């Protein structure tokens, strides 16, 4: 994920505060002649575009909840996604306001920047949480589809602890750096910050900044490797999961792009000369707004697209072709089908006898999952009509 803050996480206080190289515009009207440099005007345009896109995506999420099966398991990750997208839209809006309106007081501008940073800290931690949550659910479904023969790596207990620990620690560090920077701005612009105090803030800020970068790289590696591992496990069992396939092919590419951009920006800012950085800061913000907006919109759009897949969380896994059509299950031993799953070639998990049964005796008994009172695994609803055993006519 991209963990580059649009307002203050680069680390140069003066150039990242309100009014950065804005060209001297001082009027508060949005319709007058704003004499900002072209790159800042372009940045404002992209912020408005991404805000509109985020609002549209939030509406799509809300409208597609009815396509998901009822229940906490199916809908919980998308509830979190809707919160993240709403915060993202609000962040873009506040960022654009702080960039455009020049008549705000320094205190109001700093408070607005602090709020934007806080929203960013929450949103940038929620998005990888959604990806990991969906991964855990699809891993458990794969475990059920395999008849509990082997437990996928991604749903191991220790792996889930590692995943949520990374997300939680990453969120805490993002909130911490936001608080430190907000306090620094308050003291700096009120002329209450000594040289020694400024040095202490810079050291603390720099240390947390590189810690956040380390955790962002760990989260990126964790998400990408976990999805690829689950995809390989499903392929070896001839299981095709459309949700995992779509996220792996589309979303993970932009997860890598965002993380690489974040790493490049932080290293560039750390190594560049201060005067060079001041000259290039507007272009840095413009590039960030474009690349981060495209990547974030694509990742969220990919997650939204999985909501319209039939039974995306309670079915949706389709077994691949059998080695021998109609003979045995795809795993190598009889396993009861998971409710909601669709199977190609209709594998016979409990094949009927190869010769007709004796007259007067019933045919083979239905599998357990078709008998009265059967409880499907993983708390999934089972709404299929229960077939009755076929009786042979009496001679």
């Amino acid at each position: 994920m991209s963990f580059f803050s649009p307002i203050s996480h680069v680390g140069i206080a003066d150039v990242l505060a309100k009014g950065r190289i804005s060209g001297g515009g001082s009027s508060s009207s949005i319709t007058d002649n704003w004499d900002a440099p072209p790159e800042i005007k372009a940045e404002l345009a992209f912020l408005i575009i991404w805000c509109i896109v985020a609002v549209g995506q939030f509406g799509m999420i809300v409208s597609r909840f009815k396509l998901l099966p009822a229940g906490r398991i199916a809908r919980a990750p998308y509830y979190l996604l809707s919160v993240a997208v709403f915060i993202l839209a609000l962040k873009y809006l506040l960022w654009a306001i702080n960039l455009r309106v020049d008549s705000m007081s320094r205190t109001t501008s700093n408070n607005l920047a602090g709020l934007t940073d806080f929203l960013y800290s929450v949103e940038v931690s929620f998005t990888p949480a959604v990806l990991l949550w969906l991964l855990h659910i699809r891993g458990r479904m794969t475990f059920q589809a395999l008849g509990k023969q082997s437990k996928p790596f991604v749903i191991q207990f220790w792996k889930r602890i590692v995943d949520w620990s990374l997300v939680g620690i990453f969120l805490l560090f993002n909130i911490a750096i936001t608080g430190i920077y907000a306090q620094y701005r308050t003291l700096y612009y009120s002329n209450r910050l000594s040289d020694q105090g400024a040095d202490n803030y810079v050291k603390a800020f720099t240390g947390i900044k590189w810690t956040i970068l380390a955790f962002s790289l760990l989260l990126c590696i964790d998400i990408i490797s976990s999805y690829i591992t689950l995809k390989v496990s499903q392929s070896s069992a001839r299981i095709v999961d459309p949700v995992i396939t779509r996220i792996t092919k589309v979303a993970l590419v932009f997860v890598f792009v965002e993380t690489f951009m974040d790493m490049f920006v932080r290293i560039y800012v750390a190594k560049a000369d201060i005067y060079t950085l001041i000259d290039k800061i507007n272009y840095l913000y413009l590039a960030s707004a474009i690349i981060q907006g495209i990547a974030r919109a694509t990742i969220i759009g990919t997650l939204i697209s999985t909501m319209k897949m039939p039974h995306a969380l309670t079915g949706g896994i389709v077994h691949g072709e059998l080695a021998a059509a109609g003979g045995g299950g795809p795993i190598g031993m009889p396993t009861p089908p998971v409710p909601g799953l669709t199977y190609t070639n209709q594998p016979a998990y409990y094949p009927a006898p190869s010769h007709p049964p004796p007259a007067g005796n019933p045919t083979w008994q239905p599998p357990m999952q078709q008998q009265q009172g059967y409880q499907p695994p993983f708390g999934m609803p089972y709404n299929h009509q229960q077939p009755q055993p076929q009786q042979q006519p009496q001679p």
Side-chain angles (χ1 to χ4, degrees), residues 72-85:
R72 178 182 61 85
I73 294 177
R75 299 190 175 193
Y78 296 103
Y79 285 136
L80 184 61
L81 179 64
S82 64
V83 173
V85 175

Side-chain angles (χ1 to χ4, degrees), residues 2 14 75 77 82 131 148 167 215 219 249 258 265 294 345 365 394:
S2 172
D14 295 329
R75 299 190 175 193
S82 64
L131 287 168
K148 301 184 179 181
V167 173
F215 274 96
L219 264 176
K249 290 184 177 181
E258 279 196 283
V265 168
I294 293 175
N345 294 333
Q365 294 297 320
Q394 295 294 334

Side-chain angles (χ1 to χ4, degrees), residues 3 9 19-20 39 51 56 69 76 87 101 123 138 143 162-163 177 184 212 222 224 255 268-269 316 354 375 381-382:
F3 308 125
H9 286 186
R20 53 179 174 85
E39 59 270 17
C51 181
I87 293 176
V101 180
E123 181 271 331
R138 304 308 293 189
F143 183 45
V162 170
D163 291 343
I177 200 172
Y184 172 83
I212 290 176
D222 181 35
I224 293 178
V255 169
Y268 175 81
V269 169
S354 57
Q375 297 296 327
Y382 186 70

Side-chain angles (χ1 to χ4, degrees), residues 2 17 118 168 190 198 206 236 247 255 297 330:
S2 172
F118 175 77
S190 60
T206 303
S236 63
I247 293 177
V255 169

Side-chain angles (χ1 to χ4, degrees), residues 38-156:
E39 59 270 17
I40 290 186
K41 293 181 179 179
E43 179 187 347
L44 178 64
F46 276 104
L47 290 178
I48 296 174
I49 292 173
W50 299 136
C51 181
I52 295 174
V53 170
V55 171
Q57 289 180 329
F58 177 78
M60 292 176 63
I61 295 174
V62 174
S63 64
R64 291 187 179 185
F65 272 120
K66 61 184 178 182
L67 302 178
L68 297 174
R72 178 182 61 85
I73 294 177
R75 299 190 175 193
Y78 296 103
Y79 285 136
L80 184 61
L81 179 64
S82 64
V83 173
V85 175
F86 178 80
I87 293 176
L88 179 65
L90 185 58
K91 180 199 75 173
Y92 282 132
L93 177 62
L94 296 180
W95 185 2
I97 292 174
N98 200 37
L99 181 66
R100 175 61 185 90
V101 180
D102 299 315
S103 61
M104 286 188 295
S105 65
R106 178 64 66 182
T107 300
T108 303
S109 176
N110 288 339
N111 292 338
L112 188 62
L115 177 59
T116 307
D117 281 352
F118 175 77
L119 294 176
Y120 169 84
S121 300
V122 175
E123 181 271 331
V124 80
S125 303
F126 278 9
T127 305
V130 173
L131 287 168
L132 290 173
W133 202 341
L134 281 174
L135 177 73
H136 295 161
I137 291 177
R138 304 308 293 189
R140 292 180 63 186
M141 291 182 61
T142 303
F143 183 45
Q144 297 292 341
L146 294 176
K148 301 184 179 181
Q149 298 179 52
S150 61
K151 199 169 187 177
F153 163 77
V154 297
I155 63 170
Q156 298 284 345

